[in-house]
Amino acid sequence: DYGKKTWNYSDGHGKYIAKPTVDGLNCRKGPGIEYDKVTLIDTDIAVTIIGEYKAKDGGTWLKCKAGYYVNKKYMKFIRYA
């Protein structure tokens, strides 16, 4: 299901720290490219991931503690939070 949460740290999954693999990664208001851009982050920015969601296009989006969403395919795991 589109927008369906696949996991969340409150479900017993651990929060983790991740960084973008590309500079200028779009951060969006929701899980998918149809949502407005909120900001951009570069490869030197670490974010705390608190959830994972499926998008309409089948992609996987990560919810950041700051409230925005990033595409999982452009993020790399750093460590558990």
Side-chain angles (χ1 to χ4, degrees):
D1 293 325
Y2 157 68
K4 182 177 181 183
K5 176 176 64 174
T6 56
W7 72 263
N8 188 295
Y9 75 94
S10 62
D11 298 334
H13 293 81
K15 292 185 277 188
Y16 65 92
I17 306 298
K19 285 186 173 183
T21 58
V22 296
D23 282 328
L25 180 63
N26 291 320
C27 301
R28 298 185 178 270
K29 289 184 179 181
I33 59 171
E34 65 274 14
Y35 288 92
D36 291 337
K37 295 175 194 170
V38 178
T39 191
L40 302 172
I41 55 174
D42 291 328
T43 56
D44 60 341
I45 302 296
V47 296
T48 301
I49 304 302
I50 62 169
E52 188 172 288
Y53 294 77
K54 283 290 183 193
K56 245 186 226 182
D57 64 6
T60 301
W61 288 72
L62 304 174
K63 184 174 185 179
C64 301
K65 186 176 179 183
Y68 51 74
Y69 295 77
V70 292
N71 192 314
K72 185 176 181 177
K73 72 180 176 180
Y74 299 112
M75 299 295 289
K76 66 179 176 182
F77 172 87
I78 301 298
R79 64 176 171 80
Y80 285 103

